[in-house]
């Protein structure tokens, strides 16, 4: 699911498997990057962030490893 407000875009995904979510979000960011490139837009990976909301305490300290333009996106702990 994607949300957009002015010049901000949010990608969301839902699953119990965070590893699969990392792949899905990285792939979605690659699709967006292609869209931006065709329109001569230059997103800043340094301003891109991830976070995970979950009900499993065992995963509370897991940081998502999402790639955007060959850079690992910063993860915010909730």
């Amino acid at each position: 699911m994607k949300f957009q407000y002015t010049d901000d875009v949010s990608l969301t995904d839902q699953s119990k498997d965070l590893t699969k979510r990392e792949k899905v979000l990285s792939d979605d960011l690659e699709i967006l990057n292609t869209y931006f490139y065709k329109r001569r837009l230059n997103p800043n990976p340094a301003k891109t962030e991830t976070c995970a909301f979950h009900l499993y305490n065992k995963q509370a300290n897991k940081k998502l490893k999402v790639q955007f333009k060959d850079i690992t996106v910063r993860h915010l702990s909730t």
Side-chain angles (χ1 to χ4, degrees):
M1 184 177 292
K2 295 163 186 71
F3 301 97
Q4 184 171 0
Y5 178 77
T6 312
D7 64 346
D8 292 327
V9 176
S10 294
L11 301 175
T12 61
D13 197 48
Q14 181 178 346
S15 175
K16 292 180 181 179
D17 185 349
L18 291 180
T19 303
K20 287 182 182 179
R21 295 314 100 207
E22 292 169 341
K23 170 103 172 85
V24 168
L25 290 172
S26 294
D27 291 348
D28 285 351
L29 283 170
E30 183 61 34
I31 291 167
L32 278 176
N33 191 47
T34 301
Y35 172 87
F36 294 145
Y37 179 80
K38 288 179 182 178
R39 284 150 187 85
R40 297 185 179 157
L41 300 171
N42 190 20
N44 186 348
K47 292 184 176 181
T48 304
E49 302 171 340
T50 65
C51 69
F53 300 94
H54 52 80
L55 299 174
Y56 302 106
N57 288 335
K58 290 180 182 179
Q59 296 180 352
N61 295 322
K62 174 139 171 54
K63 293 183 178 185
L64 293 175
K65 294 177 184 124
V66 176
Q67 297 290 312
F68 182 38
K69 295 176 93 173
D70 296 324
I71 295 173
T72 300
V73 174
R74 181 173 41 147
H75 179 82
L76 299 176
S77 298
T78 55

